[in-house]
Amino acid sequence: MGQCGITSSKTVLVFLNLIFWAAAGILCYVGAYVFITYDDYDHFFEDVYTLIPAVIIIAVGALLFIIGLIGCCATVRESYCGLTTFVVILLLVFMTEVAVVVLGYIYRAKVEDEVNSSIMKVYDEYNGTNSNAQSRAIDYVQRQLQCCGIHNYSDWQHTRWYEQSKNYSVPISCCKSNAGSCTGSLTHPEDLYQEGCEALVVKKLQEIMMYVIWTALTFAAMQMLGMLCACVVLCRRSRDPAYELLITGGTYA
């Protein structure tokens, strides 16, 4: 019965280590995705610490690859030292992922305040040229999220760009994709996106942060199972001298 339990634990542990290798790639992808996506919206928030969860999750992904290698070798050879190291590192990574979840929730709550405090400034610096970073960011967001202005398209009437252009229109990026003849003129509001960008930017950034949180929670649960299986193997070795002699090839005196 005990031998069956130890064999099952080893099998699950080897399988989990293979999953850890795949998880390493997934975590690095998630972290990179967050960086790339946030880069498209970086003008709408000023707190660089918002990216800390993404940095941590990339580091965890790299560490998981090493953990998988140590775990596989230690499990196959049933090395006490290797399995102990494996459990300790898994525990550290588990604690790190818990920190990612906590930070994710903290910064998810801060996203709305960050966007609210900076979006007006970004829109006020819009000049409609491709060389202007704020202009590129706003045009990108309005096309991608299908929105116009901060709360709605009428917000453009209060910007410096609108006052200086004096053409009574909003940027072309406000035009609906199916409105082929749209020039951004306010005389044809039906051709413009009706929803403002502020709420949609906040929603997008919060969705990304939840993506990070759920990824961290999922792999944290897997690591708990890995630690449990490793502990079963270690306890079996420490409590059963006969099992120790069996795997080392020794004999009773």
Side-chain angles (χ1 to χ4, degrees), residues 142 146-149 152-154 156-157 168-179 182-195:
Q142 291 190 152
Q146 298 185 350
C147 57
C148 183
N152 55 59
Y153 63 84
S154 65
W156 278 105
Q157 299 178 67
Y168 304 103
S169 66
V170 297
I172 299 297
S173 56
C174 279
C175 293
K176 294 179 179 178
S177 56
N178 58 355
C182 177
T183 61
S185 174
L186 291 176
T187 58
H188 298 285
E190 67 278 0
D191 292 338
L192 307 175
Y193 293 123
Q194 302 299 305
E195 193 169 359

Side-chain angles (χ1 to χ4, degrees), residues 156-157 159-170 186:
W156 278 105
Q157 299 178 67
T159 62
R160 284 188 296 179
W161 174 82
Y162 182 87
E163 294 172 356
Q164 292 171 0
S165 62
K166 299 183 184 301
N167 58 3
Y168 304 103
S169 66
V170 297
L186 291 176

Side-chain angles (χ1 to χ4, degrees), residues 99-140:
V100 168
V101 172
V102 173
L103 288 173
Y105 272 108
I106 292 173
Y107 291 123
R108 183 176 182 272
K110 291 179 65 177
V111 161
E112 186 170 0
D113 292 334
E114 283 288 324
V115 173
N116 290 346
S117 65
S118 61
I119 194 168
M120 179 66 76
K121 179 182 176 182
V122 176
Y123 268 82
D124 202 43
E125 293 177 356
Y126 183 91
N127 64 15
T129 63
N130 196 49
S131 59
N132 179 261
Q134 287 80 5
S135 298
R136 292 197 305 271
I138 290 174
D139 286 334
Y140 174 83

